[in-house]
């Protein structure tokens, strides 16, 4: 009978040897037939005119991955939607790629049975599920290389988030109602410094609608790509100081000198009104930021 340590070692050896890193398999697909919750909301052929859609699948270390790459015929930004649960991000990305070109990379958690539309990648051989926005790791570089294979400029990540923030983690506004995470213009700590909108006009009437700009330790916040322009435009701007990478695309990008922005708004559910509100808030940020910081990127037509 195998002793527990020996058995554990044997299981690890089998799993690791069965799932070596490999090249990505890229398959052209018809977006009107893709069985995915995001695509199911968009069955009108007119929405896909001029776009090519590919399914990208690969393995890295202990995980299997599936991405959707939606490419325009025009050069433009890379629109990154890392979390399959953040439906407003996909809605805005699809509107943005039609308007400004470039390509979308959207992570599909549905590669694991029953996990479509969830935040984490659960298609793992062992261990915990993986956050797709914490997988940009120099020790396991294939994921980052695949996501950024058709990297346009700038890189624009699109997110939705829960209301409020974890006030126990914040150095300011600790009397606020308890929320989740750190995504709010009222949150601050050693690495995140808020620059709130003064007028609080739409879409900044919501504390959870923010733009993230990222800069390296030893630099001033104004060194972050587009930061000064967004502050001048009266955005809610969270300034993120990067000490060492946390595995996110924002950290990965700033440490390599890539132009990067992250736009977030509060999750408003799956109703037509909620999806439209998230899309419109994110598109407002995109329109203003590109006009100010990437004027060569023109809207279609």
């Amino acid at each position: 009978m195998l002793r527990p340590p020996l058995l554990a070692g044997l299981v690890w050896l089998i799993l690791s040897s069965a799932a070596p890193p490999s090249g990505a398999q890229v398959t052209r697909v018809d977006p009107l037939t893709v069985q995915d919750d995001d695509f199911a909301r968009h069955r009108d052929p007119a929405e896909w005119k001029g776009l090519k859609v590919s399914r990208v699948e690969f393995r890295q270390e202990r995980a299997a991955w599936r991405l959707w790459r939606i490419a325009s015929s025009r050069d433009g930004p890379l629109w990154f939607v890392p979390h399959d649960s953040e439906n407003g991000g996909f809605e805005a990305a699809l509107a943005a790629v039609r308007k400004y070109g470039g390509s979308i990379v959207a992570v599909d958690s549905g590669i694991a049975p029953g996990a479509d539309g969830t935040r984490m990648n659960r298609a793992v051989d062992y261990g915990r599920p993986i956050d797709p926005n914490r997988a940009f790791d120099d020790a396991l570089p294939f994921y980052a290389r695949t996501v950024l294979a058709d990297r346009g400029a700038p890189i624009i990540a699109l997110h939705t988030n829960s209301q409020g923030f974890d006030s126990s983690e914040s150095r300011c506004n600790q009397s606020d109602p308890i929320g989740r995470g750190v995504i709010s213009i009222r949150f601050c700590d050693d690495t995140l410094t808020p620059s709130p909108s003064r007028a609080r006009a739409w879409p900044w009437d919501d504390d959870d609608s923010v733009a993230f700009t990222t800069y390296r330790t030893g630099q001033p916040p104004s060194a972050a790509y587009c930061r000064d322009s967004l502050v001048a435009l009266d955005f809610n701007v969270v300034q993120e100081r990067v000490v060492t990478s946390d595995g996110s695309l924002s950290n990965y990008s700033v440490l390599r000198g890539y132009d990067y922005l992250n736009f977030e708004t509060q999750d408003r559910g799956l109703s037509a009104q909620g999806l439209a509100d998230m899309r419109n808030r994110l598109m407002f940020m995109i329109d203003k930021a590109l006009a100010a910081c990437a004027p060569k990127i023109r809207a279609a037509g």
Side-chain angles (χ1 to χ4, degrees):
M1 182 174 181
L2 291 172
R3 291 174 300 204
L6 181 59
L7 179 60
L10 180 60
V11 170
W12 180 89
L13 180 62
I14 291 170
L15 290 173
S16 61
S17 62
S22 63
Q25 180 179 357
V26 181
T27 307
R28 282 286 303 275
V29 298
D30 179 354
L32 300 180
T33 63
V34 171
Q35 298 302 305
D36 176 86
D37 61 327
D38 291 317
F39 286 84
R41 295 194 298 270
H42 299 279
R43 295 307 194 197
D44 182 351
E47 293 192 77
W48 301 98
K49 185 177 181 180
L51 301 176
K52 296 180 180 179
V53 182
S54 300
R55 183 177 61 245
V56 182
E57 295 180 310
F58 61 95
R59 293 195 62 89
Q60 179 176 259
E61 206 249 342
R62 65 187 180 93
W65 292 91
R66 180 190 294 152
L67 314 175
W68 301 109
R69 179 169 283 119
I70 304 169
S72 168
S73 59
R74 296 183 294 132
D75 292 339
L78 171 61
W79 313 96
F80 183 49
V81 185
H83 295 129
D84 201 3
S85 60
E86 297 179 355
N87 300 287
F90 188 90
E91 298 299 298
L94 192 56
V97 78
R98 292 198 301 263
K99 185 171 184 177
Y100 291 109
S103 61
I104 301 169
V105 172
V107 178
D108 180 11
S109 62
I111 193 170
D116 192 27
T118 59
R119 178 182 178 86
M120 309 291 272
N121 179 11
R122 299 177 184 174
V124 296
D125 297 324
Y126 57 90
R128 295 180 178 180
I130 300 172
D131 184 335
N133 200 36
R134 291 294 183 271
F136 292 87
D137 186 344
D138 286 336
L140 298 168
F142 192 76
Y143 175 82
R145 288 204 305 263
T146 306
V147 169
L148 300 175
D150 295 329
R151 178 173 64 87
I155 300 168
I156 298 180
L158 298 168
H159 292 264
T160 59
N161 58 73
S162 58
Q163 184 176 13
F165 60 97
D166 184 351
S167 54
S168 68
E169 298 285 332
S170 180
R171 295 181 60 181
C172 56
N173 301 306
Q174 292 180 331
S175 62
D176 279 23
I178 293 286
R180 295 178 58 192
V182 301
I183 310 301
S184 169
I185 199 59
R186 293 180 60 77
F187 181 92
C188 62
D189 63 11
D190 290 338
T191 59
L192 300 178
T193 306
S195 176
S197 166
R198 296 177 298 278
R200 301 305 305 275
W202 186 94
W204 316 119
D205 54 336
D206 166 18
D207 290 337
D208 305 303
S209 292
V210 300
F212 268 70
T213 64
T214 310
Y215 64 100
R216 300 180 68 160
T217 293
Q219 297 178 326
S222 61
Y225 172 71
C226 204
R227 178 267 183 192
D228 288 353
S229 294
L230 298 186
V231 170
L233 288 166
D234 203 32
F235 275 45
N236 279 340
V237 180
V238 176
Q239 301 150 128
E240 180 184 12
R241 179 174 62 88
V242 176
V243 182
T244 57
S245 178
D246 61 4
S248 65
L249 182 54
S250 64
N251 285 208
Y252 187 91
S253 295
V254 75
L255 294 174
R256 285 159 179 77
Y258 300 159
D259 292 342
Y260 171 93
L261 289 169
N262 172 12
F263 296 132
E264 307 233 6
T265 194
Q266 187 185 133
D267 191 297
R268 289 172 168 81
L270 284 169
S271 69
Q273 180 179 353
L275 290 167
D277 191 6
M278 291 185 286
R279 181 196 64 227
N280 293 343
R281 286 174 184 265
L282 291 169
M283 284 302 300
F284 177 93
M285 303 180 208
I286 290 165
D287 290 340
K288 296 294 185 182
L290 290 182
C293 301
K296 292 183 179 180
I297 298 175
R298 303 285 183 138

